[in-house]
Amino acid sequence: MREGEAGHNISNQGTIGDTLRSQTVLPELDRIAEQAVQNPKLVFTTLAHHIDEAFLHEAYNRTRKDAAAGVDKVTVCEYMKNLDGNLCDLYKRMRTGGYKAQPVRRVWLEKDDKSKRPIGIPVLEDKIVQRAVVMLLEAIYEPIFYGLSYGFRRRLNAHKALSALREQMRGLNIKWILDVDVSGYFDSIPRDLLLGVVRERMNDGALLRFIGKWLNAGVQHETGELEHSSSGTPQGGVISPILSNIFLHKVLDDWFEREVKPKMRGCCFLIRYADDFVIGFEDESDAHRVMEVLPKRFSRFGLTIHPTKTKLVPFGRPGKYHVSGKGEGTFDFLGFTHYWARSLRGKWIIKRKTMGKRLRRTLKRLWAWCKGNRHLPMREQYRTLYAKLRGHYQYFGLRSNYKMLEVVYEYVEKTWRHWLGRRCSKGLLSWETFEKYQVIFPLPKPRIVHNI
């Protein structure tokens, strides 16, 4: 199950039917994974036969049900009305060559700097088939992926990556952090090189044809215009995360473990979450050597390291007689700014706080939501704001970040009060009146969720 899909794996087949299908599908995946572990050099050439109707049912159950419809405008509710028949027809088209990948519907989201970020929405049937292929690819590649990779993997998440990062920095006497930015990674992956990397471990012709169809399906804009690109993975596609992990495993992870680490003078580590990664070094000369060769390594695979956003940060533990309240260097990773500071007992520890850019984006979105929904009933506004705060605490509720949680909480109070006051002709809601509302609709107070 992917991160964020809990609660969405609902099927109209009932618990018993789903359980029986899982009992036939999961052992197949376990056998594939066992073969991958026992023979690391094995190239899998016959996998497509595993995808039958039961396999597609399991893939459907693992597919998100709350996403928007694609270009065919078929919703999950409509598809579920005849789920068995639809999946049977899909299976027949896959077997006879009648299955065709449809373009991804593109929508745009506004970013903090007023620019827009594209989002892709595939059709439901493409998501189901992609999920089926992902299940097979995960069985093959999960046994060989390194523990340094945390993005889009089962039982791994951003908080585990943050915890591992902190422990590595403390335990290996790390003094330098190489903060790397890959320019437009998902949109710039060369497809021929990507398929070549996939073939090193999985060379099933049918599955490769499916992947090729998704890579070349194109993007349909809101105007109806169809756009095709020669590089990148499908935007919003279920298949994209596993393909990106496979490619970076070859480009970065395996290279770092096999070739870089043995040549270092001091200790070093790599922590990667999707295309966001940092490298820690004990020795400064090691850091400069890797910083020099890293762009050349990525260039060999058609990728670009951003020259200005990539930086080497001094991040050693401050000395005993360091009198300032914080250490010298800071770096950002997974939404947090990392820095050295003294604990309440006076010891130097690594602390994390919400990135300034991420905090500003959160506050801006909260303001826009309260303004745009100020005329909704109070109870509906409360439920949404409650969920937004809970979600924010769930991710950013780390030790040493309590003050930043308070900033968000207090901002929600002031913003909600402001726009509730704008609903009436007076344009003002006193704090006394607002506090009475809060007795009925109490917003969740800041809390530390992750003790890492």
Side-chain angles (χ1 to χ4, degrees), residues 151-273:
F152 309 118
R153 297 180 62 188
R154 290 174 294 174
R155 294 181 291 276
L156 296 176
N157 55 39
H159 292 115
K160 291 186 177 181
L162 290 167
S163 177
L165 172 63
R166 189 167 184 263
E167 294 305 315
Q168 294 270 33
M169 288 190 294
R170 292 172 57 190
L172 298 180
N173 191 28
I174 297 300
K175 299 177 181 177
W176 297 87
I177 291 291
L178 181 57
D179 185 6
V180 185
D181 183 89
V182 184
S183 300
Y185 172 66
F186 289 94
D187 293 330
S188 59
I189 299 176
R191 292 173 180 172
D192 55 341
L193 295 179
L194 171 62
L195 292 176
V197 171
V198 172
R199 288 192 186 97
E200 293 179 4
R201 191 68 172 161
M202 190 281 294
N203 198 18
D204 184 295
L207 298 189
L208 289 173
R209 282 192 295 272
F210 289 148
I211 295 174
K213 289 180 179 181
W214 298 322
L215 292 176
N216 297 297
V219 175
Q220 182 173 307
H221 294 271
E222 297 175 350
T223 59
E225 179 185 358
L226 189 61
E227 176 187 347
H228 292 275
S229 62
S230 57
S231 61
T233 56
Q235 291 184 358
V238 177
I239 196 71
S240 294
I242 185 69
L243 290 180
S244 67
N245 267 343
I246 291 172
F247 198 59
L248 273 184
H249 171 80
K250 173 71 173 183
V251 176
L252 179 63
D253 302 353
D254 194 58
W255 170 73
F256 182 82
E257 289 291 325
R258 292 177 180 270
E259 299 184 32
V260 175
K261 254 187 171 182
K263 298 177 183 179
M264 296 293 99
R265 296 178 179 178
C267 296
C268 64
F269 72 87
L270 167 68
I271 296 291
R272 180 175 68 83
Y273 189 93

Side-chain angles (χ1 to χ4, degrees), residues 2 64 66-71 103-111 115-123 127 186-187 218-222 225 227 233-238 240 361 365:
R2 292 189 308 160
R64 291 188 60 172
D66 61 345
V71 295
V104 173
R105 181 166 71 92
R106 172 171 287 177
V107 296
W108 296 87
L109 296 180
E110 185 175 327
K111 299 173 67 175
S115 62
K116 292 188 176 181
R117 179 168 63 95
I119 297 294
I121 305 177
V123 301
K127 292 180 184 178
F186 289 94
D187 293 330
V219 175
Q220 182 173 307
H221 294 271
E222 297 175 350
E225 179 185 358
E227 176 187 347
T233 56
Q235 291 184 358
V238 177
S240 294
R361 184 176 70 182
R365 289 180 175 178

